[in-house]
Amino acid sequence: MTTTSEPPRDRTAARRTGSTAVASGKTTPGGEPPARTTGGPPDTAVLAPPAGTLTAGRALTGYLREQATAFLRGLGLRSEREGQADALLRGSARRIAAVLHTYAPLTEPGWAEALRGELGWLTSTLGREPQHTGRLARLLEALRRLSTAGVPESVLAEVEGGGTGSGPLALGAARAAALLERQLTLARTRAHSAALQAVGSSRFHGLADSMAVLASEVPLTGRAADPAPAVLPPLAAQAYQRLCDAADALPLGRAALPYNAEAVQASLGAELTADLQDAPWHQVRILLRLARYAAEVPGVEPYGDDRLVEAAQVLGRHREAAESAAAVAAAARTPRIAPATAYALGVLHADQRHEVEAARFAFSRLWQGLPPAPEGDRPLPGPRG
């Protein structure tokens, strides 16, 4: 297996991207973001770079300022459109935390680590409610699809009209749906209460204050004064290399089969749980996000172009199916449920695990079948073998 981890070779395009960002009106009247540099020799912190050169500090500060501004905009929207505002808060918080992680050598370690921890707390807290909402809708739709597959129209009309339908799956689907709706609605309500409590806490207000400061000041190290093309692409390449290493370590050969019976069986056994099977795939999804966000900083060419976006969508579906299957397994452990309900939940669990395998199959084909790098300057993932 070979992976491509070299930084983009075309520095002209990188400089052009960064210069556009600096010239877009996002700088101070003095011509650069109001960032302070620390942690390096005194002469490094005060010497200005050559005229016309985009420094790593300018590029990073400009990006962080954009995301901090988006965070504050979402905060202002929350009283009017809570769902949209929370999505904006989560998106900007994820990007800031990811970029601080990838470009850690450019910022003060203590400041960046503390801010990343607070951003992780917020995204986790605000993300639970929409996850439960989407999971419930997904499972109810899957139950309906499974229970009505191959059922004549006359029977469907009877079920929709309040009849009992026919077959063990049709009999248990309604009770299974009621059980899942009760459990996931309760989880969603608790998540909503936790989000409201978090947003009203002093911890959140402290984070909002940090975002307001981040919009105007970023604590940088002396290395941030170096030219962006010399500093940012190698750090982004390291993030991409970590993604390649983790993806190539996955059992892609087995996932390339459209049906992996061993994985489905293991998800039901005690020796190898579904969590242990799914964890490496979830880790690749996180690393893929880090690589994509790292490439959004001016002065860095993106890796993989739109194909990494497609891969991220596939792994997003993988996570949704895996967590939905876990929710079904938890519901099936409810004491004293009827046999028909247990049967319906078992069918639903198998369906979601098949969705997991389908996502792995799609990712395997995408990752292993990518063409070689074109005659341009963007290093795309080469064929995996």
Side-chain angles (χ1 to χ4, degrees):
M1 297 185 185
T2 58
T3 59
T4 304
S5 60
E6 302 172 357
R9 296 185 290 273
D10 184 6
R11 306 305 186 204
T12 304
R15 293 191 187 98
R16 182 169 59 250
T17 304
S19 300
T20 302
V22 172
S24 61
K26 299 170 184 173
T27 58
T28 63
E32 68 175 89
R36 57 186 176 91
T37 57
T38 60
D43 56 340
T44 304
V46 297
L47 287 179
T53 301
L54 175 67
T55 66
R58 290 181 185 178
L60 182 61
T61 300
Y63 181 83
L64 291 175
R65 175 190 293 149
E66 290 180 3
Q67 298 306 320
T69 301
F71 184 96
L72 297 175
R73 186 166 61 250
L75 186 60
L77 283 174
R78 205 170 191 281
S79 59
E80 303 174 3
R81 288 169 285 181
E82 185 176 298
Q84 180 181 351
D86 285 356
L88 196 57
L89 290 173
R90 294 196 309 272
S92 58
R94 282 197 302 263
R95 281 173 165 81
I96 293 172
V99 166
L100 290 178
H101 174 78
T102 301
Y103 300 108
L106 305 181
T107 58
E108 288 185 356
W111 168 83
E113 188 67 26
L115 183 57
R116 284 176 51 213
E118 293 302 286
L119 292 171
W121 161 75
L122 181 66
T123 54
S124 176
T125 302
L126 295 184
R128 293 191 188 104
E129 182 182 359
Q131 288 173 2
H132 290 308
T133 302
R135 193 168 302 146
L136 176 60
R138 175 190 182 93
L139 291 176
L140 293 182
E141 176 59 29
L143 265 179
R144 171 171 173 76
R145 169 174 50 82
L146 292 169
S147 61
T148 59
V151 179
E153 291 294 332
S154 58
V155 177
L156 282 180
E158 179 185 356
V159 173
E160 293 176 354
T164 58
S166 62
L169 181 56
L171 291 174
R175 292 183 179 179
L179 176 60
L180 289 169
E181 187 166 8
R182 183 168 61 252
Q183 292 186 351
L184 290 176
T185 299
L186 177 60
R188 181 182 61 191
T189 302
R190 290 175 175 172
H192 182 73
S193 299
L196 290 178
Q197 184 177 3
V199 171
S201 66
S202 59
R203 185 177 183 180
F204 177 79
H205 290 296
L207 177 58
D209 292 340
S210 299
M211 289 295 102
V213 173
L214 184 63
S216 61
E217 183 180 13
V218 179
L220 300 174
T221 63
R223 190 177 176 185
D226 294 337
V231 176
L232 298 180
L235 293 175
Q238 291 178 13
Y240 183 73
Q241 182 62 54
R242 287 192 291 269
L243 165 64
C244 292
D245 292 342
D248 290 337
L250 294 173
L252 295 178
R254 178 177 298 178
L257 301 174
Y259 176 72
N260 182 6
E262 292 183 17
V264 177
Q265 183 178 5
S267 70
L268 301 174
E271 296 182 358
L272 182 62
T273 65
D275 290 340
L276 294 178
Q277 273 214 342
D278 297 337
W281 296 84
H282 296 332
Q283 180 65 18
V284 170
R285 180 183 60 85
I286 295 172
L287 293 174
L288 198 155
R289 176 185 292 171
L290 291 175
R292 289 177 53 216
Y293 291 165
E296 293 180 354
V297 177
V300 180
E301 283 290 302
Y303 289 79
D305 206 14
D306 292 339
R307 276 162 282 200
L308 284 190
V309 177
E310 183 180 356
Q313 294 171 347
V314 169
L315 291 181
R317 295 198 299 269
H318 176 275
R319 180 194 181 190
E320 292 171 3
E323 294 184 348
S324 296
V328 174
R333 289 191 289 269
T334 302
R336 296 184 299 276
I337 58 175
T341 305
Y343 173 74
L345 290 173
V347 173
L348 181 59
H349 180 271
D351 175 75
Q352 294 303 300
R353 292 307 304 181
H354 281 303
E355 292 290 335
V356 169
E357 294 306 314
R360 294 181 184 181
F361 175 63
F363 180 83
S364 174
R365 290 177 61 89
L366 178 65
W367 190 257
Q368 294 181 320
L370 285 174
E375 295 180 358
D377 299 290
R378 291 180 180 177
L380 300 179
R384 266 44 175 189

